[in-house]
Amino acid sequence: GAVVSQHPSWVICKSGTSVKIECRSLDFQATTMFWYRQFPKQSLMLMATSNEGSKATYEQGVEKDKFLINHASLTLSTLTVTSAHPEDSSFYICSACAVAEGDHNEQFFGPGTRLTVL
Amino acid sequence: GQNIDQPTEMTATEGAIVQINCTYQTSGFNGLFWYQQHAGEAPTFLSYNVLDGLEEKGRFSSFLSRSKGYSYLLLKELQMKDSASYLCAVLDSNYQLIWGAGTKLIIKP
């Protein structure tokens, strides 16, 4: 199956700093990548859909000026949490869309990035 | 609105069989996915159904009835490592994935 990587896996930072998370599709080109956030014991919450070469589409309630998304190439999307605060502490997961076996579109998930803001 | 319902938590015994149900109401339908998510990890793909019927894959099977807006994931010969959350997700008419809240499955020896 397709492989998606995320970096870093863990981030601990002070309140007010900015954190950049990278999402890479390693063995396929992903025109669309998705960014999710998951709080403890809750389901995935889609934050934004990122299309290569264009502006990301943010879900309702997600501040686009706080969560900056850049999808500069077909294999890389970045999420920058600007001026992070403790309430931004969460598990951030990216996924990339590819055609899987059986010809259906499938989202392949990265391993996630756990952000802790002190 | 769009809605995916699945039980919050289920408990089963090692070696037994468990069925996790999922009902959905979405704007359009382009397939239903089941994912497994262990605590602290990203989801991993289990199954995809777009036609009615049962898809079997080893110890796991997934069933879909589009007319009833219903799916289930069947896990046989349960092992302790199957303790995880199981997420049901539907691809709507805009090819957006709509996620259920997940079912936490607890396996007891």
Side-chain angles (χ1 to χ4, degrees):
Chain A
V3 179
V4 176
S5 71
Q6 265 182 259
H7 177 80
S9 301
W10 294 84
V11 181
I12 300 175
C13 67
K14 292 182 179 179
S15 185
T17 59
S18 293
V19 176
K20 180 188 278 189
I21 303 170
E22 292 186 351
C23 177
R24 293 181 186 273
S25 55
L26 297 185
D27 50 2
F28 67 101
Q29 293 183 330
T31 54
T32 303
M33 288 185 172
F34 302 88
W35 286 97
Y36 293 87
R37 181 167 52 181
Q38 186 176 36
F39 293 105
K41 299 184 179 180
Q42 295 186 24
S43 187
L44 299 172
M45 291 174 52
L46 180 64
M47 298 176 68
T49 302
S50 167
N51 292 297
E52 185 266 338
S54 63
K55 291 183 179 180
T57 302
Y58 289 81
E59 295 299 301
Q60 193 172 7
V62 178
E63 300 174 57
K64 62 181 180 181
D65 294 331
K66 180 171 181 63
F67 298 99
L68 302 178
I69 292 172
N70 184 286
H71 194 159
S73 77
L74 288 172
T75 59
L76 173 64
S77 176
T78 60
L79 168 68
T80 301
V81 184
T82 61
S83 186
H85 291 283
E87 58 265 30
D88 298 322
S89 298
S90 187
F91 192 43
Y92 291 86
I93 307 172
C94 75
S95 69
C97 210
V99 179
E101 289 183 18
D103 288 333
H104 63 268
N105 285 333
E106 183 181 329
Q107 288 190 25
F108 294 91
F109 286 89
T113 298
R114 185 161 301 283
L115 170 64
T116 302
V117 185
L118 302 176
Chain B
Q2 309 209 84
N3 197 46
I4 309 275
D5 284 317
Q6 50 182 131
T8 305
E9 187 174 297
M10 299 181 71
T11 303
T13 306
E14 190 178 14
I17 299 173
V18 71
Q19 177 175 311
I20 303 174
N21 296 324
C22 170
T23 57
Y24 62 89
Q25 291 175 309
T26 57
S27 56
F29 179 83
N30 281 299
L32 185 145
F33 294 85
W34 282 97
Y35 285 86
Q36 180 191 60
Q37 186 178 26
H38 285 100
E41 298 180 12
T44 55
F45 171 81
L46 289 178
S47 67
Y48 171 76
N49 294 68
V50 68
L51 299 176
D52 289 349
L54 186 68
E55 295 272 347
E56 296 186 73
K57 194 186 292 186
R59 293 189 298 115
F60 294 4
S61 303
S62 57
F63 170 83
L64 174 67
S65 168
R66 288 172 297 172
S67 62
K68 295 181 180 178
Y70 167 70
S71 171
Y72 68 72
L73 179 69
L74 190 72
L75 294 79
K76 303 176 185 176
E77 301 168 20
L78 285 170
Q79 302 175 8
M80 297 304 292
K81 67 179 182 179
D82 298 329
S83 292
S85 286
Y86 291 85
L87 308 174
C88 172
V90 171
L91 205 58
D92 72 6
S93 57
N94 294 320
Y95 289 93
Q96 287 258 41
L97 259 187
I98 311 300
W99 292 88
T103 298
K104 182 179 180 181
L105 178 63
I106 300 168
I107 310 295
K108 295 185 175 179

